[in-house]
PDB file of all heavy atoms in Angstrom:
ATOM      1  N   ALA U 178      -4.234  -0.349 -10.718  1.00 97.00           N
ATOM      2  CA  ALA U 178      -5.107   0.674 -10.116  1.00 97.00           C
ATOM      3  C   ALA U 178      -4.299   1.751  -9.426  1.00 97.00           C
ATOM      4  O   ALA U 178      -4.618   2.944  -9.480  1.00 97.00           O
ATOM      5  CB  ALA U 178      -6.077  -0.006  -9.092  1.00 97.00           C
ATOM      6  N   TRP U 179      -3.202   1.349  -8.773  1.00 97.00           N
ATOM      7  CA  TRP U 179      -2.342   2.375  -8.153  1.00 97.00           C
ATOM      8  C   TRP U 179      -1.684   3.268  -9.206  1.00 97.00           C
ATOM      9  O   TRP U 179      -1.676   4.504  -9.010  1.00 97.00           O
ATOM     10  CB  TRP U 179      -1.251   1.677  -7.355  1.00 97.00           C
ATOM     11  CG  TRP U 179      -1.686   1.112  -6.051  1.00 97.00           C
ATOM     12  CD1 TRP U 179      -2.767   1.501  -5.282  1.00 97.00           C
ATOM     13  CD2 TRP U 179      -1.102  -0.050  -5.339  1.00 97.00           C
ATOM     14  NE1 TRP U 179      -2.873   0.710  -4.148  1.00 97.00           N
ATOM     15  CE2 TRP U 179      -1.887  -0.193  -4.176  1.00 97.00           C
ATOM     16  CE3 TRP U 179      -0.009  -0.821  -5.605  1.00 97.00           C
ATOM     17  CZ2 TRP U 179      -1.585  -1.180  -3.225  1.00 97.00           C
ATOM     18  CZ3 TRP U 179       0.270  -1.825  -4.665  1.00 97.00           C
ATOM     19  CH2 TRP U 179      -0.500  -2.006  -3.490  1.00 97.00           C
ATOM     20  N   LEU U 180      -1.333   2.705 -10.317  1.00 97.00           N
ATOM     21  CA  LEU U 180      -0.636   3.488 -11.310  1.00 97.00           C
ATOM     22  C   LEU U 180      -1.604   4.424 -12.034  1.00 97.00           C
ATOM     23  O   LEU U 180      -1.161   5.427 -12.648  1.00 97.00           O
ATOM     24  CB  LEU U 180       0.039   2.595 -12.345  1.00 97.00           C
ATOM     25  CG  LEU U 180       1.166   1.728 -11.794  1.00 97.00           C
ATOM     26  CD1 LEU U 180       1.744   0.839 -12.926  1.00 97.00           C
ATOM     27  CD2 LEU U 180       2.265   2.582 -11.218  1.00 97.00           C
ATOM     28  N   ASP U 181      -2.867   4.168 -11.967  1.00 96.00           N
ATOM     29  CA  ASP U 181      -3.886   5.046 -12.588  1.00 96.00           C
ATOM     30  C   ASP U 181      -4.089   6.326 -11.810  1.00 96.00           C
ATOM     31  O   ASP U 181      -4.770   7.279 -12.312  1.00 96.00           O
ATOM     32  CB  ASP U 181      -5.206   4.336 -12.742  1.00 96.00           C
ATOM     33  CG  ASP U 181      -5.227   3.331 -13.929  1.00 96.00           C
ATOM     34  OD1 ASP U 181      -4.358   3.485 -14.805  1.00 96.00           O
ATOM     35  OD2 ASP U 181      -6.071   2.438 -13.941  1.00 96.00           O
ATOM     36  N   SER U 182      -3.537   6.357 -10.621  1.00 94.00           N
ATOM     37  CA  SER U 182      -3.704   7.539  -9.755  1.00 94.00           C
ATOM     38  C   SER U 182      -2.301   8.226  -9.624  1.00 94.00           C
ATOM     39  O   SER U 182      -1.341   7.586  -9.275  1.00 94.00           O
ATOM     40  CB  SER U 182      -4.210   7.175  -8.375  1.00 94.00           C
ATOM     41  OG  SER U 182      -3.990   8.226  -7.451  1.00 94.00           O
ATOM     42  N   ARG U 183      -2.276   9.526  -9.856  1.00 94.00           N
ATOM     43  CA  ARG U 183      -0.999  10.270  -9.751  1.00 94.00           C
ATOM     44  C   ARG U 183      -0.359  10.157  -8.380  1.00 94.00           C
ATOM     45  O   ARG U 183       0.829   9.972  -8.249  1.00 94.00           O
ATOM     46  CB  ARG U 183      -1.224  11.740 -10.123  1.00 94.00           C
ATOM     47  CG  ARG U 183       0.045  12.564 -10.100  1.00 94.00           C
ATOM     48  CD  ARG U 183      -0.222  14.000 -10.509  1.00 94.00           C
ATOM     49  NE  ARG U 183       0.996  14.802 -10.441  1.00 94.00           N
ATOM     50  CZ  ARG U 183       1.011  16.113 -10.693  1.00 94.00           C
ATOM     51  NH1 ARG U 183      -0.114  16.732 -11.065  1.00 94.00           N
ATOM     52  NH2 ARG U 183       2.144  16.764 -10.629  1.00 94.00           N
ATOM     53  N   SER U 184      -1.191  10.326  -7.323  1.00 94.00           N
ATOM     54  CA  SER U 184      -0.612  10.294  -5.971  1.00 94.00           C
ATOM     55  C   SER U 184      -0.061   8.913  -5.601  1.00 94.00           C
ATOM     56  O   SER U 184       0.979   8.798  -4.990  1.00 94.00           O
ATOM     57  CB  SER U 184      -1.675  10.727  -4.980  1.00 94.00           C
ATOM     58  OG  SER U 184      -2.786   9.816  -4.984  1.00 94.00           O
ATOM     59  N   HIS U 185      -0.750   7.856  -6.067  1.00 95.00           N
ATOM     60  CA  HIS U 185      -0.257   6.498  -5.787  1.00 95.00           C
ATOM     61  C   HIS U 185       0.999   6.219  -6.635  1.00 95.00           C
ATOM     62  O   HIS U 185       1.968   5.674  -6.092  1.00 95.00           O
ATOM     63  CB  HIS U 185      -1.277   5.488  -6.208  1.00 95.00           C
ATOM     64  CG  HIS U 185      -2.568   5.552  -5.410  1.00 95.00           C
ATOM     65  ND1 HIS U 185      -3.470   6.573  -5.559  1.00 95.00           N
ATOM     66  CD2 HIS U 185      -3.100   4.748  -4.475  1.00 95.00           C
ATOM     67  CE1 HIS U 185      -4.514   6.384  -4.755  1.00 95.00           C
ATOM     68  NE2 HIS U 185      -4.270   5.290  -4.052  1.00 95.00           N
ATOM     69  N   ARG U 186       0.982   6.618  -7.901  1.00 96.00           N
ATOM     70  CA  ARG U 186       2.132   6.395  -8.758  1.00 96.00           C
ATOM     71  C   ARG U 186       3.352   7.093  -8.235  1.00 96.00           C
ATOM     72  O   ARG U 186       4.478   6.593  -8.301  1.00 96.00           O
ATOM     73  CB  ARG U 186       1.757   6.835 -10.153  1.00 96.00           C
ATOM     74  CG  ARG U 186       2.852   6.542 -11.214  1.00 96.00           C
ATOM     75  CD  ARG U 186       2.333   6.849 -12.592  1.00 96.00           C
ATOM     76  NE  ARG U 186       1.958   8.250 -12.826  1.00 96.00           N
ATOM     77  CZ  ARG U 186       0.684   8.653 -12.925  1.00 96.00           C
ATOM     78  NH1 ARG U 186      -0.328   7.785 -12.896  1.00 96.00           N
ATOM     79  NH2 ARG U 186       0.423   9.949 -13.119  1.00 96.00           N
ATOM     80  N   HIS U 187       3.123   8.301  -7.674  1.00 96.00           N
ATOM     81  CA  HIS U 187       4.233   9.114  -7.164  1.00 96.00           C
ATOM     82  C   HIS U 187       4.992   8.342  -6.059  1.00 96.00           C
ATOM     83  O   HIS U 187       6.217   8.378  -6.007  1.00 96.00           O
ATOM     84  CB  HIS U 187       3.725  10.398  -6.598  1.00 96.00           C
ATOM     85  CG  HIS U 187       4.781  11.319  -6.069  1.00 96.00           C
ATOM     86  ND1 HIS U 187       5.642  12.044  -6.857  1.00 96.00           N
ATOM     87  CD2 HIS U 187       5.132  11.557  -4.761  1.00 96.00           C
ATOM     88  CE1 HIS U 187       6.476  12.682  -6.071  1.00 96.00           C
ATOM     89  NE2 HIS U 187       6.203  12.451  -4.795  1.00 96.00           N
ATOM     90  N   ILE U 188       4.264   7.654  -5.223  1.00 96.00           N
ATOM     91  CA  ILE U 188       4.885   6.889  -4.146  1.00 96.00           C
ATOM     92  C   ILE U 188       5.576   5.640  -4.719  1.00 96.00           C
ATOM     93  O   ILE U 188       6.694   5.326  -4.353  1.00 96.00           O
ATOM     94  CB  ILE U 188       3.843   6.505  -3.062  1.00 96.00           C
ATOM     95  CG1 ILE U 188       3.373   7.763  -2.350  1.00 96.00           C
ATOM     96  CG2 ILE U 188       4.409   5.481  -2.097  1.00 96.00           C
ATOM     97  CD1 ILE U 188       2.250   7.502  -1.331  1.00 96.00           C
ATOM     98  N   ILE U 189       4.873   4.897  -5.556  1.00 97.00           N
ATOM     99  CA  ILE U 189       5.410   3.652  -6.100  1.00 97.00           C
ATOM    100  C   ILE U 189       6.746   3.865  -6.836  1.00 97.00           C
ATOM    101  O   ILE U 189       7.656   3.023  -6.688  1.00 97.00           O
ATOM    102  CB  ILE U 189       4.385   2.999  -7.053  1.00 97.00           C
ATOM    103  CG1 ILE U 189       3.125   2.556  -6.284  1.00 97.00           C
ATOM    104  CG2 ILE U 189       4.993   1.793  -7.779  1.00 97.00           C
ATOM    105  CD1 ILE U 189       3.361   1.437  -5.298  1.00 97.00           C
ATOM    106  N   VAL U 190       6.863   4.954  -7.566  1.00 97.00           N
ATOM    107  CA  VAL U 190       8.061   5.121  -8.416  1.00 97.00           C
ATOM    108  C   VAL U 190       9.072   6.135  -7.840  1.00 97.00           C
ATOM    109  O   VAL U 190      10.070   6.434  -8.468  1.00 97.00           O
ATOM    110  CB  VAL U 190       7.706   5.542  -9.846  1.00 97.00           C
ATOM    111  CG1 VAL U 190       6.731   4.563 -10.461  1.00 97.00           C
ATOM    112  CG2 VAL U 190       7.073   6.952  -9.818  1.00 97.00           C
ATOM    113  N   SER U 191       8.838   6.581  -6.605  1.00 97.00           N
ATOM    114  CA  SER U 191       9.747   7.583  -6.003  1.00 97.00           C
ATOM    115  C   SER U 191      11.118   6.966  -5.771  1.00 97.00           C
ATOM    116  O   SER U 191      11.233   5.849  -5.260  1.00 97.00           O
ATOM    117  CB  SER U 191       9.188   8.089  -4.696  1.00 97.00           C
ATOM    118  OG  SER U 191      10.110   8.947  -4.029  1.00 97.00           O
ATOM    119  N   ARG U 192      12.139   7.699  -6.154  1.00 95.00           N
ATOM    120  CA  ARG U 192      13.500   7.281  -5.951  1.00 95.00           C
ATOM    121  C   ARG U 192      13.979   7.511  -4.476  1.00 95.00           C
ATOM    122  O   ARG U 192      15.112   7.124  -4.140  1.00 95.00           O
ATOM    123  CB  ARG U 192      14.476   7.999  -6.882  1.00 95.00           C
ATOM    124  CG  ARG U 192      14.136   7.678  -8.320  1.00 95.00           C
ATOM    125  CD  ARG U 192      15.116   8.357  -9.248  1.00 95.00           C
ATOM    126  NE  ARG U 192      14.771   8.075 -10.674  1.00 95.00           N
ATOM    127  CZ  ARG U 192      15.508   8.476 -11.698  1.00 95.00           C
ATOM    128  NH1 ARG U 192      16.623   9.160 -11.486  1.00 95.00           N
ATOM    129  NH2 ARG U 192      15.130   8.185 -12.958  1.00 95.00           N
ATOM    130  N   ARG U 193      13.115   8.112  -3.685  1.00 95.00           N
ATOM    131  CA  ARG U 193      13.511   8.349  -2.289  1.00 95.00           C
ATOM    132  C   ARG U 193      13.434   7.090  -1.435  1.00 95.00           C
ATOM    133  O   ARG U 193      13.944   7.083  -0.335  1.00 95.00           O
ATOM    134  CB  ARG U 193      12.562   9.426  -1.720  1.00 95.00           C
ATOM    135  CG  ARG U 193      12.650  10.759  -2.386  1.00 95.00           C
ATOM    136  CD  ARG U 193      11.878  11.788  -1.610  1.00 95.00           C
ATOM    137  NE  ARG U 193      11.983  13.103  -2.207  1.00 95.00           N
ATOM    138  CZ  ARG U 193      11.622  14.226  -1.619  1.00 95.00           C
ATOM    139  NH1 ARG U 193      11.047  14.182  -0.428  1.00 95.00           N
ATOM    140  NH2 ARG U 193      11.744  15.400  -2.219  1.00 95.00           N
ATOM    141  N   TYR U 194      12.797   6.062  -1.965  1.00 97.00           N
ATOM    142  CA  TYR U 194      12.613   4.889  -1.188  1.00 97.00           C
ATOM    143  C   TYR U 194      13.568   3.776  -1.574  1.00 97.00           C
ATOM    144  O   TYR U 194      13.892   3.616  -2.768  1.00 97.00           O
ATOM    145  CB  TYR U 194      11.168   4.363  -1.305  1.00 97.00           C
ATOM    146  CG  TYR U 194      10.149   5.390  -0.863  1.00 97.00           C
ATOM    147  CD1 TYR U 194       9.164   5.806  -1.742  1.00 97.00           C
ATOM    148  CD2 TYR U 194      10.188   5.925   0.412  1.00 97.00           C
ATOM    149  CE1 TYR U 194       8.243   6.752  -1.359  1.00 97.00           C
ATOM    150  CE2 TYR U 194       9.232   6.849   0.814  1.00 97.00           C
ATOM    151  CZ  TYR U 194       8.267   7.278  -0.073  1.00 97.00           C
ATOM    152  OH  TYR U 194       7.334   8.222   0.301  1.00 97.00           O
ATOM    153  N   SER U 195      14.011   3.015  -0.616  1.00 97.00           N
ATOM    154  CA  SER U 195      14.911   1.880  -0.884  1.00 97.00           C
ATOM    155  C   SER U 195      14.453   0.579  -0.336  1.00 97.00           C
ATOM    156  O   SER U 195      15.041  -0.468  -0.570  1.00 97.00           O
ATOM    157  CB  SER U 195      16.329   2.207  -0.316  1.00 97.00           C
ATOM    158  OG  SER U 195      16.239   2.412   1.106  1.00 97.00           O
ATOM    159  N   GLU U 196      13.334   0.582   0.440  1.00 97.00           N
ATOM    160  CA  GLU U 196      12.863  -0.609   1.083  1.00 97.00           C
ATOM    161  C   GLU U 196      11.340  -0.786   0.895  1.00 97.00           C
ATOM    162  O   GLU U 196      10.665   0.225   0.663  1.00 97.00           O
ATOM    163  CB  GLU U 196      13.194  -0.664   2.569  1.00 97.00           C
ATOM    164  CG  GLU U 196      14.727  -0.656   2.789  1.00 97.00           C
ATOM    165  CD  GLU U 196      15.094  -0.319   4.219  1.00 97.00           C
ATOM    166  OE1 GLU U 196      14.446   0.536   4.806  1.00 97.00           O
ATOM    167  OE2 GLU U 196      16.084  -0.912   4.677  1.00 97.00           O
ATOM    168  N   LEU U 197      10.835  -1.983   1.052  1.00 97.00           N
ATOM    169  CA  LEU U 197       9.420  -2.218   0.746  1.00 97.00           C
ATOM    170  C   LEU U 197       8.876  -3.302   1.657  1.00 97.00           C
ATOM    171  O   LEU U 197       9.560  -4.224   2.045  1.00 97.00           O
ATOM    172  CB  LEU U 197       9.302  -2.708  -0.710  1.00 97.00           C
ATOM    173  CG  LEU U 197       7.931  -3.276  -1.164  1.00 97.00           C
ATOM    174  CD1 LEU U 197       6.893  -2.148  -1.203  1.00 97.00           C
ATOM    175  CD2 LEU U 197       8.099  -3.911  -2.562  1.00 97.00           C
TER     176      LEU U 197
END
Side-chain angles (χ1 to χ4, degrees):
W179 285 334
L180 295 180
D181 281 341
S182 164
R183 181 179 179 182
S184 60
H185 297 72
R186 185 170 61 251
H187 180 76
I188 292 175
I189 293 294
V190 303
S191 175
R192 298 183 181 184
R193 297 188 177 191
Y194 302 121
S195 58
E196 296 166 323
L197 169 68

